[in-house]
Short mmCIF file of all heavy atoms in Angstrom, two decimals:
data_model
loop_
_atom_site.label_atom_id
_atom_site.label_comp_id
_atom_site.label_asym_id
_atom_site.label_seq_id
_atom_site.Cartn_x
_atom_site.Cartn_y
_atom_site.Cartn_z
N GLU H 42 -32.89 37.13 -11.47
CA GLU H 42 -32.89 37.99 -12.66
C GLU H 42 -33.81 37.41 -13.73
O GLU H 42 -33.42 37.20 -14.88
CB GLU H 42 -31.46 38.16 -13.20
CG GLU H 42 -30.48 38.71 -12.21
CD GLU H 42 -30.79 40.14 -11.79
OE1 GLU H 42 -31.69 40.76 -12.38
OE2 GLU H 42 -30.14 40.64 -10.85
N ASN H 86 -35.06 42.92 -11.18
CA ASN H 86 -34.98 44.36 -11.01
C ASN H 86 -36.00 45.02 -11.92
O ASN H 86 -36.48 44.41 -12.87
CB ASN H 86 -33.57 44.85 -11.36
CG ASN H 86 -32.53 44.38 -10.37
OD1 ASN H 86 -31.64 43.62 -10.71
ND2 ASN H 86 -32.65 44.81 -9.12
N PRO H 87 -36.34 46.28 -11.66
CA PRO H 87 -37.32 46.96 -12.51
C PRO H 87 -36.86 46.99 -13.96
O PRO H 87 -35.67 47.13 -14.24
CB PRO H 87 -37.38 48.38 -11.93
CG PRO H 87 -36.88 48.24 -10.54
CD PRO H 87 -35.88 47.14 -10.56
N GLY H 89 -36.26 48.39 -17.85
CA GLY H 89 -35.90 49.71 -18.37
C GLY H 89 -34.43 49.82 -18.64
O GLY H 89 -33.62 48.94 -18.28
N ALA H 90 -34.04 50.93 -19.26
CA ALA H 90 -32.66 51.13 -19.68
C ALA H 90 -31.70 51.28 -18.51
O ALA H 90 -30.53 50.94 -18.60
CB ALA H 90 -32.58 52.36 -20.58
N ILE H 91 -32.19 51.81 -17.37
CA ILE H 91 -31.31 52.05 -16.22
C ILE H 91 -30.73 50.74 -15.72
O ILE H 91 -29.57 50.65 -15.35
CB ILE H 91 -32.09 52.77 -15.09
CG1 ILE H 91 -32.51 54.16 -15.55
CG2 ILE H 91 -31.23 52.88 -13.84
CD1 ILE H 91 -33.33 54.91 -14.54
N TYR H 92 -31.54 49.68 -15.73
CA TYR H 92 -31.10 48.38 -15.23
C TYR H 92 -30.67 47.47 -16.38
O TYR H 92 -31.12 46.33 -16.50
CB TYR H 92 -32.20 47.71 -14.40
CG TYR H 92 -32.22 48.18 -12.97
CD1 TYR H 92 -33.02 49.24 -12.59
CD2 TYR H 92 -31.42 47.59 -12.02
CE1 TYR H 92 -33.03 49.70 -11.27
CE2 TYR H 92 -31.42 48.02 -10.70
CZ TYR H 92 -32.22 49.07 -10.34
OH TYR H 92 -32.22 49.52 -9.04
N GLY H 93 -29.82 47.97 -17.25
CA GLY H 93 -29.22 47.12 -18.27
C GLY H 93 -30.19 46.61 -19.29
O GLY H 93 -30.00 45.53 -19.84
N GLY H 94 -31.26 47.36 -19.57
CA GLY H 94 -32.18 46.96 -20.62
C GLY H 94 -33.07 45.78 -20.27
O GLY H 94 -33.55 45.07 -21.16
N ARG H 95 -33.34 45.55 -19.00
CA ARG H 95 -34.22 44.45 -18.61
C ARG H 95 -35.63 44.70 -19.17
O ARG H 95 -36.11 45.82 -19.15
CB ARG H 95 -34.25 44.31 -17.09
CG ARG H 95 -32.98 43.68 -16.52
CD ARG H 95 -32.87 43.96 -15.03
NE ARG H 95 -31.83 43.15 -14.40
CZ ARG H 95 -30.53 43.41 -14.50
NH1 ARG H 95 -30.11 44.44 -15.21
NH2 ARG H 95 -29.64 42.64 -13.90
N ARG H 152 -25.14 61.20 -11.90
CA ARG H 152 -26.06 60.05 -11.95
C ARG H 152 -27.45 60.53 -11.53
O ARG H 152 -28.00 60.12 -10.51
CB ARG H 152 -25.58 58.92 -11.02
CG ARG H 152 -24.32 58.24 -11.48
CD ARG H 152 -23.98 57.06 -10.59
NE ARG H 152 -24.99 56.03 -10.65
CZ ARG H 152 -25.06 54.99 -9.80
NH1 ARG H 152 -24.17 54.88 -8.84
NH2 ARG H 152 -26.00 54.09 -9.90
N PHE H 154 -30.39 59.98 -12.64
CA PHE H 154 -31.49 59.02 -12.60
C PHE H 154 -31.38 58.04 -11.44
O PHE H 154 -32.28 57.25 -11.21
CB PHE H 154 -31.56 58.25 -13.93
CG PHE H 154 -31.95 59.12 -15.09
CD1 PHE H 154 -31.01 59.51 -16.03
CD2 PHE H 154 -33.25 59.58 -15.24
CE1 PHE H 154 -31.35 60.32 -17.10
CE2 PHE H 154 -33.61 60.39 -16.31
CZ PHE H 154 -32.65 60.76 -17.24
N ALA H 155 -30.26 58.06 -10.72
CA ALA H 155 -30.10 57.14 -9.59
C ALA H 155 -30.91 57.60 -8.38
O ALA H 155 -31.13 56.83 -7.45
CB ALA H 155 -28.63 57.02 -9.21
N ASP H 158 -30.30 56.85 -4.42
CA ASP H 158 -29.23 55.85 -4.36
C ASP H 158 -27.95 56.33 -5.03
O ASP H 158 -27.03 55.54 -5.24
CB ASP H 158 -29.69 54.55 -5.03
CG ASP H 158 -30.83 53.88 -4.27
OD1 ASP H 158 -30.88 54.05 -3.04
OD2 ASP H 158 -31.66 53.21 -4.90
N THR H 162 -26.22 52.97 -1.14
CA THR H 162 -27.31 52.00 -1.11
C THR H 162 -27.14 51.12 0.13
O THR H 162 -26.14 51.24 0.85
CB THR H 162 -27.30 51.11 -2.37
OG1 THR H 162 -26.10 50.31 -2.36
CG2 THR H 162 -27.36 51.95 -3.65
N ARG H 164 -26.39 47.99 0.22
CA ARG H 164 -25.17 47.17 0.07
C ARG H 164 -23.93 47.97 0.45
O ARG H 164 -23.01 47.43 1.07
CB ARG H 164 -25.04 46.66 -1.37
CG ARG H 164 -25.82 45.39 -1.65
CD ARG H 164 -25.26 44.69 -2.88
NE ARG H 164 -26.05 43.50 -3.16
CZ ARG H 164 -27.04 43.45 -4.04
NH1 ARG H 164 -27.37 44.53 -4.72
NH2 ARG H 164 -27.72 42.34 -4.24
N ASP H 165 -23.89 49.24 0.04
CA ASP H 165 -22.75 50.09 0.42
C ASP H 165 -22.66 50.23 1.93
O ASP H 165 -21.56 50.24 2.50
CB ASP H 165 -22.90 51.48 -0.21
CG ASP H 165 -22.87 51.45 -1.72
OD1 ASP H 165 -22.11 50.64 -2.28
OD2 ASP H 165 -23.62 52.24 -2.34
N ARG H 168 -21.21 47.12 3.38
CA ARG H 168 -19.78 47.06 3.03
C ARG H 168 -18.97 47.98 3.94
O ARG H 168 -17.89 47.62 4.42
CB ARG H 168 -19.64 47.48 1.56
CG ARG H 168 -18.35 47.04 0.89
CD ARG H 168 -18.38 47.39 -0.58
NE ARG H 168 -19.34 46.58 -1.29
CZ ARG H 168 -20.28 47.06 -2.11
NH1 ARG H 168 -20.38 48.35 -2.30
NH2 ARG H 168 -21.12 46.26 -2.72
N ASP H 357 -24.99 42.09 -20.52
CA ASP H 357 -25.50 42.06 -19.14
C ASP H 357 -25.97 40.67 -18.74
O ASP H 357 -25.78 40.24 -17.60
CB ASP H 357 -26.67 43.05 -18.99
CG ASP H 357 -26.19 44.49 -19.01
OD1 ASP H 357 -25.45 44.87 -18.09
OD2 ASP H 357 -26.52 45.21 -19.95
N GLU H 361 -24.50 39.00 -15.36
CA GLU H 361 -25.38 38.76 -14.20
C GLU H 361 -25.16 37.36 -13.63
O GLU H 361 -25.57 37.08 -12.50
CB GLU H 361 -26.85 38.93 -14.59
CG GLU H 361 -27.22 40.32 -15.07
CD GLU H 361 -27.13 41.39 -14.00
OE1 GLU H 361 -27.03 41.04 -12.82
OE2 GLU H 361 -27.15 42.59 -14.35
N ASN H 364 -23.53 37.27 -10.20
CA ASN H 364 -24.20 37.86 -9.04
C ASN H 364 -23.96 37.08 -7.75
O ASN H 364 -23.60 37.65 -6.72
CB ASN H 364 -25.71 37.97 -9.29
CG ASN H 364 -26.05 39.16 -10.17
OD1 ASN H 364 -25.18 39.95 -10.53
ND2 ASN H 364 -27.31 39.29 -10.54
N GLU H 408 -21.95 51.75 -19.35
CA GLU H 408 -21.88 51.60 -17.90
C GLU H 408 -22.60 50.30 -17.52
O GLU H 408 -23.49 49.84 -18.23
CB GLU H 408 -22.54 52.78 -17.20
CG GLU H 408 -21.84 54.12 -17.44
CD GLU H 408 -20.54 54.27 -16.67
OE1 GLU H 408 -20.19 53.36 -15.90
OE2 GLU H 408 -19.87 55.30 -16.86
N LEU H 409 -22.21 49.73 -16.40
CA LEU H 409 -22.86 48.51 -15.93
C LEU H 409 -24.23 48.83 -15.34
O LEU H 409 -24.49 49.95 -14.91
CB LEU H 409 -22.00 47.83 -14.86
CG LEU H 409 -20.63 47.32 -15.29
CD1 LEU H 409 -19.93 46.69 -14.10
CD2 LEU H 409 -20.74 46.32 -16.43
N SER H 410 -25.09 47.83 -15.29
CA SER H 410 -26.40 48.01 -14.66
C SER H 410 -26.19 48.24 -13.15
O SER H 410 -25.25 47.69 -12.56
CB SER H 410 -27.27 46.77 -14.87
OG SER H 410 -26.81 45.69 -14.08
N PRO H 411 -27.05 49.03 -12.51
CA PRO H 411 -26.90 49.27 -11.06
C PRO H 411 -26.91 47.98 -10.25
O PRO H 411 -26.24 47.89 -9.23
CB PRO H 411 -28.11 50.15 -10.73
CG PRO H 411 -28.45 50.83 -12.01
CD PRO H 411 -28.13 49.84 -13.10
N ALA H 412 -27.67 46.98 -10.70
CA ALA H 412 -27.77 45.73 -9.94
C ALA H 412 -26.42 45.03 -9.85
O ALA H 412 -26.07 44.47 -8.80
CB ALA H 412 -28.79 44.80 -10.61
N LEU H 413 -25.64 45.04 -10.94
CA LEU H 413 -24.33 44.40 -10.93
C LEU H 413 -23.28 45.32 -10.33
O LEU H 413 -22.46 44.89 -9.51
CB LEU H 413 -23.94 44.02 -12.36
CG LEU H 413 -22.57 43.36 -12.53
CD1 LEU H 413 -22.54 42.01 -11.81
CD2 LEU H 413 -22.23 43.17 -14.00
N ARG H 414 -23.31 46.57 -10.71
CA ARG H 414 -22.31 47.53 -10.27
C ARG H 414 -22.31 47.68 -8.75
O ARG H 414 -21.26 47.84 -8.12
CB ARG H 414 -22.64 48.86 -10.93
CG ARG H 414 -21.64 49.96 -10.75
CD ARG H 414 -22.04 51.11 -11.64
NE ARG H 414 -21.26 52.29 -11.43
CZ ARG H 414 -21.37 53.38 -12.16
NH1 ARG H 414 -22.27 53.43 -13.12
NH2 ARG H 414 -20.61 54.43 -11.92
N ASN H 415 -23.50 47.60 -8.16
CA ASN H 415 -23.64 47.79 -6.72
C ASN H 415 -23.03 46.65 -5.90
O ASN H 415 -22.79 46.80 -4.71
CB ASN H 415 -25.13 47.92 -6.38
CG ASN H 415 -25.36 48.40 -4.97
OD1 ASN H 415 -26.12 47.80 -4.23
ND2 ASN H 415 -24.70 49.47 -4.59
N ARG H 416 -22.76 45.53 -6.56
CA ARG H 416 -22.15 44.40 -5.85
C ARG H 416 -20.63 44.53 -5.74
O ARG H 416 -19.99 43.75 -5.06
CB ARG H 416 -22.51 43.09 -6.56
CG ARG H 416 -23.97 42.69 -6.39
CD ARG H 416 -24.30 41.45 -7.20
NE ARG H 416 -25.52 40.81 -6.74
CZ ARG H 416 -26.74 41.12 -7.13
NH1 ARG H 416 -26.93 42.08 -8.01
NH2 ARG H 416 -27.80 40.48 -6.65
N PHE H 417 -20.06 45.49 -6.46
CA PHE H 417 -18.62 45.75 -6.40
C PHE H 417 -18.32 46.93 -5.48
O PHE H 417 -19.16 47.81 -5.30
CB PHE H 417 -18.08 46.10 -7.79
CG PHE H 417 -17.96 44.95 -8.75
CD1 PHE H 417 -18.99 44.67 -9.64
CD2 PHE H 417 -16.84 44.15 -8.76
CE1 PHE H 417 -18.88 43.63 -10.55
CE2 PHE H 417 -16.71 43.11 -9.66
CZ PHE H 417 -17.74 42.84 -10.55
N GLU H 419 -16.54 50.02 -5.89
CA GLU H 419 -16.11 50.75 -7.08
C GLU H 419 -15.00 51.74 -6.74
O GLU H 419 -15.05 52.41 -5.72
CB GLU H 419 -17.32 51.48 -7.67
CG GLU H 419 -17.10 52.09 -9.03
CD GLU H 419 -18.38 52.73 -9.55
OE1 GLU H 419 -19.48 52.21 -9.28
OE2 GLU H 419 -18.27 53.79 -10.21
#
Side-chain angles (χ1 to χ4, degrees):
E42 303 294 352
N86 292 116
I91 295 177
Y92 277 92
R95 285 162 168 77
R152 291 185 64 192
F154 293 105
D158 294 330
T162 66
R164 275 200 182 97
D165 297 324
R168 200 175 291 130
D357 288 296
E361 298 293 347
N364 281 356
E408 296 285 357
L409 296 180
S410 72
L413 179 64
R414 188 172 173 175
N415 192 231
R416 288 176 162 86
F417 286 95
E419 190 178 325

